[in-house]
Amino acid sequence: MKMKMLLMAAWDGTEVDPTLNLGPDYTGWKAPYAKMAGRLEWLTEHPKFQNFITFVILIAGLQVGFQTYEEESLRLEKELSVLDGMINLTFTMEVVFKLIACEFEPWLFFNSGWNKFDFALVVGAYLPVKVDLKMLRLLRLLRVLKLVNKLPQLQVIITALLMGVSSIGYIGVILCIFFYFFAIIGMIFFGQNDPWHFGSLHMTMLTLFRASTLEDWTDIMYINIYGCKIFGYSETMNDALNGHGCGSPEALKKGNYADTIVFTGNGTLGSLYFLIFIMIGALVLLTLFVGVVTTSMEEATADMKEAQEIEEEVQKVAEEEGLDKDQVEMYRTVFGILDLDGGGSIEEDELKIGLEAIDRCPSDQELKAMLLEVDESGDGEVDFAEFLQFMMVVKRRQNELSKVEEGDEENGVKEEQQQQEEDKNKNKNKAKGKGRGEDKGKNRDGDAAPDDEGN
């Protein structure tokens, strides 16, 4: 009901009451709890509170780093324990405040991935189990990751990585198939000559990954071009292979090649194999990872920049129209109501559905005309800044229409008064004319009577 009242107030151009409570009317113990939830919501969203949590996160990170100095950490064990308790208490209060801020729907807290992460850290700190000191330090170290949620620029990077996960996954699948294909070929042709790099499937996959990073890939290629007895192999490598190294009988059993082929290598085959692998695996496939992350970073940065521009435009409109912060938030609530798909913009159909819900049905032409005044991009969608401008246009039109109607009423009253005055004047004139006629008749009768007497 109150949502409908808010929509009607926004559409009719009346002042939005900043004290309007959009939640349900609670009674009994629920009323003070809901009031406390509203205050805690305001507190947790306040910039000073956010800055305080960021400061505590930095302290937690420094604490973990200081504990790596064992002698100093043992000397200040009590102080560090007190500091750790205060940090745990602060993060616990943050989670509790946010849970209470959700009023009677605490499960809404877990809609955010960062909230889930914060909750897991708090619960993990109070688990009644003995953990290894290294695991405890690792758990404390995870607190530093909370910093990502507090700094917008870090959020852009994380958002870009998450946006590119699906694309990176598909590229990873292609890369694994490619590596597996070349690993089997490498074991077939180079397993006898180079058992260190191509002696088993898992070592061959690792060798190819090393080559794809361009880390000494030429050394591996030269071993298989010139042969392991001429280039690359040392006694240490042969000893590490436990008698299965270069020139060993066990290495010769891996294929049907002659001894001369095995130990002299194959220049043509080795060159083609590694050049093709490096061109595709290192210069194409791995570069796709960088391209995907870069593209996602650009998209995330563009989204963030667009959001900042919208907020700047909102502030500009608010200053021009004299709207305070509470009124802007009320209009933001209206925008959220009308944004049925949650896409951050309102289309003409969504706006029309919302207006029909409050029995406001402008014609399609009227609605399009008003939207065109604020839709700068002309794509038929309006963001919150454009929506705020739209509501101000509606408000001005409603005020102008009200003034016209008031003027028409005043003109109608004046015309009615003038008509009444004219009717009065006409009645007076008629009365005066009738009186004069009677007087004339009497005079005529008076003049005629003496004549009759005289005759």
Side-chain angles (χ1 to χ4, degrees):
M1 181 64 184
K2 291 180 179 178
M3 289 291 187
K4 184 175 181 179
M5 291 170 56
L6 184 59
L7 281 168
M8 293 179 67
W11 173 256
D12 290 335
T14 57
E15 294 296 332
V16 181
D17 184 7
T19 62
L20 180 62
N21 181 20
L22 296 179
D25 294 326
Y26 294 114
T27 58
W29 65 271
K30 291 185 177 181
Y33 183 84
K35 186 176 181 180
M36 180 178 63
R39 291 179 178 178
L40 289 179
E41 182 181 8
W42 173 85
L43 175 65
T44 54
E45 294 178 355
H46 197 279
K48 290 184 178 179
F49 183 82
Q50 297 290 337
N51 293 336
F52 172 71
I53 295 298
T54 302
F55 174 75
V56 175
I57 294 172
L58 292 175
I59 295 298
L62 293 175
Q63 178 206 19
V64 175
F66 185 80
Q67 287 179 334
T68 58
Y69 299 93
E70 294 185 2
E71 294 182 0
E72 296 296 329
S73 62
L74 290 174
R75 184 172 61 86
L76 301 173
E77 184 177 1
K78 292 183 178 180
E79 290 81 358
L80 290 175
S81 178
V82 172
L83 179 61
D84 185 66
M86 295 175 63
I87 293 172
N88 286 337
L89 180 61
T90 302
F91 291 153
T92 302
M93 291 175 59
E94 179 193 14
V95 171
V96 171
F97 287 172
K98 289 183 177 181
L99 282 169
I100 297 176
C102 295
E103 292 188 356
F104 302 99
E105 298 176 330
W107 53 86
L108 297 178
F109 171 82
F110 298 98
N111 289 343
S112 170
W114 286 111
N115 287 345
K116 295 177 183 177
F117 178 74
D118 294 344
F119 185 81
L121 286 180
V122 170
V123 172
Y126 294 101
L127 289 178
V129 293
K130 293 183 179 180
V131 296
D132 184 67
L133 181 61
K134 294 181 180 180
M135 294 300 298
L136 182 61
R137 289 182 179 179
L138 181 61
L139 182 63
R140 292 172 178 173
L141 182 62
L142 291 176
R143 295 171 178 170
V144 183
L145 296 180
K146 286 168 62 68
L147 193 64
V148 176
N149 190 34
K150 307 300 179 184
L151 300 179
Q153 294 300 329
L154 291 180
Q155 285 186 7
V156 171
I157 297 175
I158 298 300
T159 302
L161 291 175
L162 294 178
M163 289 173 60
V165 163
S166 59
S167 299
I168 290 175
Y170 288 117
I171 296 173
V173 171
I174 296 174
L175 200 60
C176 288
I177 295 174
F178 178 77
F179 275 27
Y180 184 80
F181 180 78
F182 268 79
I184 298 300
I185 295 177
M187 290 184 66
I188 293 173
F189 290 105
F190 309 125
Q192 293 177 326
N193 178 65
D194 190 3
W196 179 270
H197 297 111
F198 294 95
S200 60
L201 181 61
H202 65 279
M203 284 303 299
T204 304
M205 295 283 286
L206 185 60
T207 298
L208 293 179
F209 179 77
R210 168 191 166 184
S212 67
T213 63
L214 304 180
E215 173 65 25
D216 291 336
W217 69 276
T218 53
D219 291 345
I220 305 172
M221 180 181 67
Y222 292 148
I223 290 173
N224 294 282
I225 288 177
Y226 300 112
C228 62
K229 281 192 173 182
I230 300 176
F231 184 90
Y233 266 66
S234 62
E235 292 297 330
T236 303
M237 294 173 64
N238 285 324
D239 293 340
L241 290 171
N242 296 321
H244 296 75
C246 179
S248 65
E250 288 77 8
L252 294 176
K253 293 178 182 178
K254 291 186 177 181
N256 297 319
Y257 299 102
D259 294 352
T260 55
I261 298 177
V262 172
F263 301 122
T264 57
N266 191 321
T268 303
L269 184 60
S271 300
L272 289 176
Y273 176 87
F274 282 97
L275 289 178
I276 293 173
F277 176 80
I278 292 299
M279 290 181 63
I280 299 177
L283 303 181
V284 177
L285 293 179
L286 287 183
T287 306
L288 289 179
F289 280 97
V290 180
V292 168
V293 174
T294 302
T295 302
S296 300
M297 186 77 70
E298 292 176 353
E299 293 177 356
T301 304
D303 293 340
M304 181 179 178
K305 185 177 180 181
E306 183 180 358
Q308 291 177 345
E309 291 176 351
I310 291 175
E311 288 303 317
E312 291 175 359
E313 188 67 23
V314 167
Q315 295 298 326
K316 182 179 178 182
V317 174
E319 292 176 0
E320 293 177 352
E321 301 294 338
L323 299 175
D324 58 30
K325 183 178 179 181
D326 292 328
Q327 289 175 314
V328 172
E329 290 303 317
M330 288 296 181
Y331 280 110
R332 196 186 300 274
T333 303
V334 175
F335 181 81
I337 297 171
L338 298 178
D339 187 12
L340 302 178
D341 58 0
S345 61
I346 294 177
E347 299 179 357
E348 182 180 340
D349 295 337
E350 291 175 321
L351 185 57
K352 194 171 183 180
I353 291 172
L355 297 176
E356 288 176 353
I358 57 173
D359 299 327
R360 297 294 188 271
C361 302
S363 64
D364 293 340
Q365 294 180 350
E366 291 176 344
L367 190 59
K368 287 181 179 179
M370 287 186 287
L371 285 174
L372 286 175
E373 293 186 28
V374 298
D375 188 9
E376 298 179 357
S377 60
D379 57 358
E381 297 181 355
V382 293
D383 53 38
F384 176 62
E386 294 172 339
F387 171 76
L388 192 59
Q389 291 177 333
F390 171 79
M391 298 311 298
M392 295 301 102
V393 170
V394 170
K395 184 175 180 179
R396 285 194 293 269
R397 290 197 176 189
Q398 290 294 122
N399 292 336
E400 292 174 359
L401 183 60
S402 299
K403 290 180 180 179
V404 171
E405 291 177 352
E406 291 176 359
D408 292 340
E409 290 179 359
E410 292 178 359
N411 293 333
V413 171
K414 290 181 180 179
E415 290 178 358
E416 185 177 354
Q417 291 176 350
Q418 291 177 358
Q419 186 66 35
Q420 290 176 356
E421 291 292 332
E422 291 177 359
D423 292 341
K424 288 181 180 179
N425 292 332
K426 288 180 181 180
N427 292 332
K428 288 180 180 180
N429 292 333
K430 288 180 180 180
K432 289 181 180 180
K434 186 177 181 180
R436 289 174 183 175
E438 290 177 355
D439 291 340
K440 289 180 180 180
K442 290 179 180 180
N443 292 333
R444 288 173 184 171
D445 293 341
D447 293 339
D451 293 339
D452 293 338
E453 293 176 357
N455 293 330

